[in-house]
Amino acid sequence: MSQSTSQRILFLDSSPFVGGAQESFFSLLCSLPSLDFEPFLLSASIGTDSLIERAEHYGIACQSFACRHWSLSPLGFLQYLQDTFRFRKLYRQVIRDFQPDLIHVNCLRSLLLLPHFNTDKIPVVFHDRDLSYSSFLRRLISKRFNL
């Protein structure tokens, strides 16, 4: 646990746009009682009516990062590797500075950005509205995060 009396929760969403999953995720973030929880949002959604803009409006600590929508192709895989590499530096800094008690991850894309080295030290909640993944992808996620 962190030194403060409130629980620190890092919310992570890597979608570069706002859709139904992001709306659901953000409504959960905003419904937390501010005296009991200290949220921090990491989001790839920027611009008008983005998660970052909304978080700033509500006074929620936040940080944006660049992440593309990866296609199922060799180029998409290369973009995933590039985005993951860039994200890891920011992630390490946020973990060090914010010291979350819990990480709340929205959708598989965000889960795939998380590095292996912190997932056994900080509990991760995986939030996904769709969960219609292939058996290969489920096995990959289970092995990576020891589920």
Side-chain angles (χ1 to χ4, degrees), residues 2 43 73 120 144:
S2 65
S43 177
S73 68
D120 60 342
R144 182 172 179 184

Side-chain angles (χ1 to χ4, degrees), residues 7 9 11 27-39:
Q7 180 118 18
I9 303 174
F11 286 83
S27 67
L28 172 68
L29 168 63
C30 289
S31 67
L32 293 174
S34 61
L35 296 177
D36 298 332
F37 299 97
E38 183 180 346

Side-chain angles (χ1 to χ4, degrees), residues 2 6 9 15 24 26 28 31 39 43 51 55 60 62 81 84 91 98 101 104-105 108 119 128 130 139 142 145 147:
S2 65
S6 61
I9 303 174
S15 180
S24 171
F26 194 73
L28 172 68
S31 67
S43 177
L51 295 188
I60 298 169
C62 58
L81 293 175
T84 300
Y91 178 78
F98 183 63
D101 299 303
H104 190 120
V105 178
L108 178 63
T119 56
D128 199 318
D130 300 326
R139 282 192 310 273
S142 296
F145 293 102
L147 301 175

Side-chain angles (χ1 to χ4, degrees), residues 68-71 74-84:
R68 295 164 281 199
H69 188 70
W70 316 305
S71 62
L75 177 60
F77 183 68
L78 179 61
Q79 290 174 339
Y80 160 74
L81 293 175
Q82 291 169 336
D83 290 348
T84 300

Side-chain angles (χ1 to χ4, degrees), residues 1-145:
M1 292 291 283
S2 65
Q3 298 167 5
S4 70
T5 58
S6 61
Q7 180 118 18
R8 293 174 176 228
I9 303 174
L10 174 61
F11 286 83
L12 172 61
D13 182 73
S14 65
S15 180
F17 53 83
V18 175
Q22 288 68 37
E23 294 290 351
S24 171
F25 182 69
F26 194 73
S27 67
L28 172 68
L29 168 63
C30 289
S31 67
L32 293 174
S34 61
L35 296 177
D36 298 332
F37 299 97
E38 183 180 346
F40 187 95
L41 173 65
L42 273 176
S43 177
S45 170
I46 57 173
T48 305
D49 203 33
S50 66
L51 295 188
I52 291 293
E53 185 179 81
R54 293 181 200 181
E56 289 172 343
H57 175 77
Y58 285 102
I60 298 169
C62 58
Q63 172 76 41
S64 64
F65 65 95
C67 192
R68 295 164 281 199
H69 188 70
W70 316 305
S71 62
L72 291 173
S73 68
L75 177 60
F77 183 68
L78 179 61
Q79 290 174 339
Y80 160 74
L81 293 175
Q82 291 169 336
D83 290 348
T84 300
F85 181 75
R86 271 195 320 267
F87 175 77
R88 299 270 165 96
K89 182 178 178 182
L90 171 63
Y91 178 78
R92 284 186 189 107
Q93 177 186 348
V94 169
I95 293 298
R96 185 185 66 242
D97 295 346
F98 183 63
Q99 299 178 0
D101 299 303
L102 179 74
I103 300 171
H104 190 120
V105 178
N106 191 36
C107 299
L108 178 63
R109 291 174 38 83
S110 303
L111 186 65
L112 291 173
L113 284 178
L114 285 184
H116 300 276
F117 60 83
N118 261 342
T119 56
D120 60 342
K121 297 175 185 162
I122 304 169
V124 175
V125 173
F126 175 47
H127 175 112
D128 199 318
R129 293 181 347 145
D130 300 326
L131 277 182
S132 58
Y133 305 117
S134 69
S135 59
F136 168 75
L137 203 45
R138 277 182 278 189
R139 282 192 310 273
L140 177 71
I141 293 167
S142 296
K143 286 180 183 178
R144 182 172 179 184
F145 293 102

